Amino acid sequence: MKAEIIAVGTELLLGEIINTNGQYIAKRLAELGIFVYYQTVVGDNPSRLRETYVQGFQRADLLITTGGLGPTQDDLTKEMAAEYFQKKLVLDISSLERISDYFKGRGLPLTEGNKKQALFPEGSQILPNDHGTAPGCILEKEGKILILLPGPPSEMIPMFEHYVVPYLQGFQEGILISKILHITGLGESHVEDQLQDLIKKQTNPTIAPYAKQGEVRLRITARSSTEQEGLLLIQPVEKEIRKRLGIHIYGTDETTLEQEIVRLLLEKNKTLSIAESCTGGMICSRLVNYPGVSEVLLEGAVTYSNEAKMSRLGVAKETLKQYGAVSEETAQEMAIGIGRTAQTDIGLSVTGIAGPGGGSKEKPVGLVYVGIFYNGKVEVKKLQFSGKRQKIRERVTVEALDWLRQKLLQMEVDEK
Amino acid sequence: MKAEIIAVGTELLLGEIINTNGQYIAKRLAELGIFVYYQTVVGDNPSRLRETYVQGFQRADLLITTGGLGPTQDDLTKEMAAEYFQKKLVLDISSLERISDYFKGRGLPLTEGNKKQALFPEGSQILPNDHGTAPGCILEKEGKILILLPGPPSEMIPMFEHYVVPYLQGFQEGILISKILHITGLGESHVEDQLQDLIKKQTNPTIAPYAKQGEVRLRITARSSTEQEGLLLIQPVEKEIRKRLGIHIYGTDETTLEQEIVRLLLEKNKTLSIAESCTGGMICSRLVNYPGVSEVLLEGAVTYSNEAKMSRLGVAKETLKQYGAVSEETAQEMAIGIGRTAQTDIGLSVTGIAGPGGGSKEKPVGLVYVGIFYNGKVEVKKLQFSGKRQKIRERVTVEALDWLRQKLLQMEVDEK
């Protein structure tokens, strides 16, 4: 099956946002054994959208579009699809209700624009949007398939994974089974280095590393006739990879770093508090992503000012004066301070210079100290990052959480 | 002049890397007043490259390609360009010398592949590569222009800026000037509703709403012969839009919500502290995105547990018992508590149910109370969100910050 990916949106044409959807879908289609020969970006223009469908179906059997499903007049992907397939647009009641509920909660009325998001080409298969208002759809006619997906990646990706992938797998001989390993503490090229021979001689399963959200993911994909067989093919490959990457693999598939940390905290029966400075709440917020966290994360403090470090955490005035806010000593006292005042088993602290200002020759931008206090002892790790403020803060967050994870792995279970 | 941007490379088709070049060039062309109607991604395949040139020149006068200028057999962009323009490939001696020097310095021999990087379609204008080995080139014929640029952004961008931009500026009639308005508190369709007549009758300038990061942006674009004239065209349109959207517009162009809030805090000479529960540090972290925040944000507390609400913020045990952690009363006491203990002019609090668990009939998932304490008075706002945990937390963050912004606009300047 030949495919083409079409990203719709004038904001893409004008370079206001970047086309991450194209990359995501291309990667997944490759893994599903579907060849992509072209990708196209087109604006919110009826005649050019029409032209894109015409040309697309001349050279491919499957077109996947992203974008243009919104509530504004510029959102035309469905309308032009209906026109191309010569179908009427019909109202789907349950979609309309879902959209209505979404806005009711925000105290906003349903607009005409929102209503059109519940219109679909007659006979199309509707794909629910569990993360936004615009459902997608699949149209089929005479061997040609058109799949319309929303533009925002946070909506497109779940819809693609939950509904489109199973649909496409129906066209394949055999099935594809994947296992995704989550890796921290190594860059993509380092992972590739460690697994070079495996990657070079891969056939079935395939091994594909990719970067995502400051981590590296490794997708091992096996093609076979049953899920069982597929898993058996994956097993030895995973075993060998784990032998080489060891502690850097923190989880698989849907797991997140925060989920794994909460799991470990629960397993070891430990409570946690966090004192942040330059990360400003990002670390705490990351853990709170995971619903189970309330049992183990008792408190966080963002002690942005020196006063707050002293009054909230009991960091000594002398320490700040002699060593400065960004120092091993301050990180120690912050970790001890939060652990003691919040009365948790573990206190985690971060203090650093996120930039762009605040750096000096001795203490450059990107210098960060992470502290962990537990069992009456405190340990501090010194890290140096480069890049822009936001990137530094994000990297610190991952590194601090990963260090905590590794420490937790070594801890004894607390028999409270 | 109509343009099309073509990114060449099988690694792009397979989603192994992301097409940042497309975005970069698109943005710059828009600023230069050149309309991009399509973007295409095609693999390192001769016949599809040929097809892309043919189709491209049917619908555009200017084609800009990136990639495919490397030394490998797969690098075919120049070869297919020469074929399309019916030109021989000829050797450029100075390019060859430059490439040779580059490798000599690394102690490496010149390969056949590298030599082909010094071949160019006869009559083309060669664009030096100051950051790599592959020079680009410009071919012109009968009103059609083809510009070939290298793939790596670190090589493409300087070549584009130093050689292509001056070349293209020779072709322009006038320029495009844009102003982007940032809007909170309204959905994209609601913005469109309010501006329907303006959007309907738009000519010059154009008005385009789009969603970005939980906000709505409005791009007003004018075409004129000078920047001055363009701004004069934009002015009355912006004025009318501001009349209608009022306080929902928080900034323009590069401004962020956090930047505007910090600006207001500085302007009114007020300090801020934040007590969060379900947002878990997300609000604080959002403000810390902006480097200037250290002067006004003194402290944040993530009081995830009831104990922390009591011990850290002084929320009364009775209040929690009688009204619960998610209530107007608790939000009040949290705002007062953080403001007082952190000794700031303003205390902001958030308490809610992010889900998926924790909801009930009386207090469903998505119920959130936001409190603001200042001038000895406390105000609480009740909000109801729907959606997944992460989305709820993100929306609460934006709504809470936006409410703070609106309150700040009304405050007097503090003559400390």
Side-chain angles (χ1 to χ4, degrees):
Chain A
M1 190 189 286
K2 290 195 223 164
E4 183 164 328
I5 300 167
I6 298 163
V8 181
T10 303
E11 67 275 14
L12 275 167
L13 270 192
L14 295 187
E16 310 215 353
I17 58 176
I18 203 167
N19 185 16
T20 58
N21 288 336
Q23 184 204 22
Y24 186 90
I25 296 173
K27 216 177 167 71
R28 294 296 282 122
L29 288 181
E31 289 161 5
L32 290 166
I34 295 171
F35 294 114
V36 176
Y37 285 134
Y38 292 92
Q39 289 200 34
T40 298
V41 179
V42 66
D44 303 305
N45 175 282
S47 57
R48 285 191 280 280
L49 261 166
R50 180 187 299 122
E51 185 49 41
T52 300
Y53 288 146
V54 168
Q55 165 198 277
F57 278 126
Q58 273 167 7
R59 51 195 195 187
D61 314 300
L62 165 67
L63 300 187
I64 299 182
T65 73
T66 61
L69 297 183
T72 75
Q73 293 174 49
D74 289 336
D75 292 293
L76 298 163
T77 317
K78 259 187 312 185
E79 285 75 358
M80 299 318 294
E83 189 207 74
Y84 179 84
F85 278 77
Q86 293 175 315
K87 297 281 182 190
K88 288 194 319 248
L89 283 171
V90 293
L91 186 71
D92 177 65
I93 297 292
S94 66
S95 293
L96 185 63
E97 280 171 359
R98 249 185 129 170
I99 295 167
S100 184
D101 287 342
Y102 177 94
F103 284 103
K104 216 180 275 174
R106 292 179 75 186
L108 293 167
L110 205 63
T111 65
E112 280 308 308
N114 291 122
K115 284 183 197 161
K116 85 168 185 142
Q117 292 182 296
L119 293 173
F120 297 90
E122 195 169 25
S124 58
Q125 176 188 338
I126 295 166
L127 310 176
N129 187 336
D130 304 317
H131 294 80
T133 54
C137 64
I138 302 177
L139 292 96
E140 295 179 36
K141 193 170 171 181
E142 293 157 16
K144 300 293 185 184
I145 303 164
L146 177 60
I147 301 179
L148 308 184
L149 302 173
S154 60
E155 300 178 31
M156 187 283 288
I157 292 170
M159 193 183 289
F160 183 86
E161 293 299 331
H162 292 145
Y163 303 109
V164 177
V165 169
Y167 170 81
L168 290 174
Q169 277 176 330
F171 291 92
Q172 285 164 229
E173 298 157 20
I175 54 164
L176 286 174
I177 283 279
S178 279
K179 191 160 189 185
I180 300 175
L181 305 181
H182 292 224
I183 297 154
T184 44
L186 291 174
E188 205 181 334
S189 51
H190 299 96
V191 170
E192 239 194 24
D193 267 4
Q194 300 258 40
L195 310 178
Q196 219 176 38
D197 54 317
L198 298 178
I199 292 175
K200 243 192 173 79
K201 65 172 175 131
Q202 63 176 299
T203 46
N204 188 17
T206 56
I207 304 169
Y210 59 102
K212 190 165 183 182
Q213 293 167 345
E215 303 173 1
V216 179
R217 305 275 165 93
L218 211 58
R219 185 190 293 268
I220 311 168
T221 310
R223 171 177 286 287
S224 63
S225 27
T226 67
E227 187 168 321
Q228 204 85 327
E229 279 181 40
L231 289 169
L232 282 174
L233 283 169
I234 289 175
Q235 215 176 43
V237 176
E238 182 184 351
K239 188 172 178 196
E240 179 59 31
I241 292 173
R242 283 186 180 275
K243 211 165 103 186
R244 301 186 192 191
L245 300 185
I247 206 175
H248 289 292
I249 299 174
Y250 75 78
T252 63
D253 298 325
E254 299 304 310
T255 296
T256 58
L257 186 55
E258 48 268 29
Q259 190 174 333
E260 174 61 4
I261 287 171
V262 172
R263 186 193 72 75
L264 282 165
L265 286 165
L266 287 168
E267 181 189 288
K268 312 281 178 172
N269 202 10
K270 304 230 179 271
T271 53
L272 172 72
S273 57
I274 308 176
E276 305 184 51
S277 193
C278 60
T279 42
M282 197 179 266
I283 298 176
C284 216
S285 177
R286 177 91 193 244
L287 282 177
V288 174
N289 277 351
Y290 184 65
V293 73
S294 51
E295 303 196 37
V296 290
L297 176 71
L298 302 191
E299 195 178 322
V302 178
T303 47
Y304 210 63
S305 64
N306 278 3
E307 285 64 37
K309 288 180 179 71
M310 290 188 283
S311 63
R312 182 66 50 237
L313 305 175
V315 175
K317 191 167 183 169
E318 283 316 303
T319 306
L320 289 166
K321 200 166 165 193
Q322 189 174 355
Y323 301 102
V326 178
S327 61
E328 186 179 326
E329 292 76 8
T330 297
Q332 278 176 353
E333 292 185 30
M334 284 173 68
I336 295 168
I338 192 69
R340 288 207 171 125
T341 57
Q343 296 182 318
T344 53
D345 300 306
I346 304 169
L348 176 71
S349 72
V350 175
T351 178
I353 306 166
S360 65
K361 213 157 135 230
E362 299 78 29
K363 297 192 185 186
V365 165
L367 174 66
V368 177
Y369 291 92
V370 184
I372 293 185
F373 171 60
Y374 69 102
N375 262 353
K377 289 187 299 243
V378 67
E379 221 182 304
V380 174
K381 194 174 181 184
K382 178 181 175 182
L383 301 161
Q384 180 66 51
F385 298 93
S386 63
K388 295 236 150 115
R389 180 182 180 83
Q390 190 65 2
K391 265 282 171 278
I392 288 174
R393 294 173 66 224
E394 285 168 8
R395 288 216 180 91
V396 176
T397 297
V398 175
E399 290 271 352
L401 286 174
D402 196 49
W403 193 40
L404 172 64
R405 176 186 70 89
Q406 299 195 29
K407 288 286 165 210
L408 282 167
L409 284 167
Q410 300 163 8
M411 285 184 200
E412 297 293 327
V413 174
D414 219 313
E415 317 289 351
K416 284 204 179 82
Chain B
M1 190 191 283
K2 291 194 223 168
E4 182 163 330
I5 301 167
I6 299 163
V8 181
T10 303
E11 68 279 11
L12 276 167
L13 270 193
L14 295 185
E16 301 187 8
I17 58 174
I18 204 168
N19 184 14
T20 58
N21 288 337
Q23 185 204 23
Y24 186 88
I25 296 173
K27 212 176 173 70
R28 294 296 283 120
L29 289 181
E31 289 160 7
L32 291 167
I34 294 170
F35 293 115
V36 174
Y37 286 132
Y38 293 91
Q39 289 199 35
T40 298
V41 178
V42 65
D44 303 304
N45 173 282
S47 59
R48 284 191 280 279
L49 261 166
R50 180 187 300 121
E51 184 53 39
T52 299
Y53 288 145
V54 169
Q55 165 196 278
F57 279 124
Q58 274 167 6
R59 52 195 195 188
D61 314 301
L62 165 68
L63 300 187
I64 300 183
T65 72
T66 61
L69 297 183
T72 75
Q73 293 175 48
D74 289 336
D75 292 293
L76 297 163
T77 317
K78 257 188 314 187
E79 286 76 356
M80 299 317 296
E83 189 208 77
Y84 180 84
F85 278 75
Q86 294 175 315
K87 297 281 181 189
K88 290 197 312 257
L89 282 171
V90 294
L91 186 69
D92 178 64
I93 299 294
S94 66
S95 292
L96 185 63
E97 281 171 357
R98 249 185 130 173
I99 295 168
S100 183
D101 288 340
Y102 178 90
F103 284 105
K104 215 178 276 173
R106 293 175 73 186
L108 294 167
L110 205 63
T111 66
E112 279 309 306
N114 292 121
K115 284 181 194 161
K116 87 168 184 147
Q117 291 181 298
L119 293 172
F120 297 89
E122 195 168 28
S124 59
Q125 177 186 336
I126 296 165
L127 310 177
N129 187 339
D130 303 317
H131 295 82
T133 54
C137 63
I138 302 178
L139 292 94
E140 297 180 35
K141 191 170 175 184
E142 293 156 16
K144 301 292 184 184
I145 303 165
L146 176 60
I147 303 179
L148 308 183
L149 302 173
S154 59
E155 299 177 33
M156 188 283 290
I157 292 171
M159 192 183 289
F160 183 86
E161 294 297 332
H162 294 143
Y163 303 108
V164 178
V165 169
Y167 171 82
L168 290 175
Q169 274 173 336
F171 291 92
Q172 283 167 243
E173 299 156 19
I175 51 165
L176 285 176
I177 283 280
S178 277
K179 191 160 190 186
I180 301 174
L181 305 181
H182 293 224
I183 296 156
T184 45
L186 292 175
E188 205 183 335
S189 52
H190 300 93
V191 170
E192 234 200 21
D193 264 7
Q194 300 257 42
L195 309 179
Q196 219 175 40
D197 54 317
L198 297 178
I199 291 174
K200 247 194 169 79
K201 65 174 174 125
Q202 62 178 299
T203 45
N204 188 19
T206 55
I207 304 168
Y210 60 101
K212 189 164 184 181
Q213 292 167 347
E215 301 173 4
V216 179
R217 303 276 167 91
L218 209 57
R219 188 182 56 242
I220 311 168
T221 310
R223 167 177 285 287
S224 62
S225 26
T226 67
E227 185 168 322
Q228 206 84 326
E229 279 181 41
L231 290 169
L232 283 174
L233 283 169
I234 289 175
Q235 215 175 43
V237 176
E238 182 183 351
K239 190 171 175 197
E240 179 60 30
I241 292 173
R242 283 186 181 275
K243 212 165 100 184
R244 301 187 192 191
L245 300 185
I247 207 174
H248 289 291
I249 299 173
Y250 75 78
T252 63
D253 298 326
E254 300 305 310
T255 297
T256 57
L257 185 57
E258 49 269 26
Q259 190 174 335
E260 175 61 4
I261 288 173
V262 173
R263 186 193 73 76
L264 283 165
L265 286 165
L266 287 167
E267 181 189 286
K268 313 282 179 170
N269 202 10
K270 304 231 178 267
T271 53
L272 172 72
S273 57
I274 307 176
E276 304 183 50
S277 192
C278 60
T279 42
M282 197 179 266
I283 298 176
C284 216
S285 176
R286 176 92 192 241
L287 282 177
V288 174
N289 276 352
Y290 184 64
V293 72
S294 51
E295 302 196 40
V296 290
L297 176 71
L298 301 190
E299 193 179 324
V302 178
T303 48
Y304 210 65
S305 63
N306 278 3
E307 285 64 37
K309 287 179 179 71
M310 290 188 282
S311 61
R312 182 66 48 237
L313 305 174
V315 174
K317 192 169 184 170
E318 283 317 303
T319 306
L320 287 166
K321 200 167 165 195
Q322 190 176 353
Y323 300 103
V326 178
S327 62
E328 185 178 330
E329 292 77 8
T330 297
Q332 277 176 353
E333 292 186 28
M334 284 172 69
I336 296 169
I338 191 68
R340 287 209 171 124
T341 56
Q343 295 181 321
T344 53
D345 301 306
I346 304 168
L348 176 71
S349 71
V350 175
T351 177
I353 306 166
S360 65
K361 214 159 134 228
E362 299 79 31
K363 295 192 186 185
V365 165
L367 173 66
V368 177
Y369 292 92
V370 183
I372 293 184
F373 170 59
Y374 68 104
N375 262 353
K377 288 189 300 245
V378 67
E379 221 182 304
V380 174
K381 194 173 180 182
K382 178 181 176 183
L383 301 161
Q384 179 66 52
F385 297 92
S386 64
K388 296 249 151 111
R389 182 183 179 83
Q390 188 65 1
K391 265 279 171 284
I392 288 174
R393 293 174 66 225
E394 285 167 10
R395 290 218 175 87
V396 174
T397 297
V398 174
E399 291 269 355
L401 285 175
D402 196 49
W403 192 42
L404 171 64
R405 177 187 69 88
Q406 298 194 30
K407 288 286 166 209
L408 282 167
L409 283 167
Q410 300 163 8
M411 284 183 199
E412 298 292 326
V413 174
D414 218 313
E415 315 290 351
K416 286 207 177 83

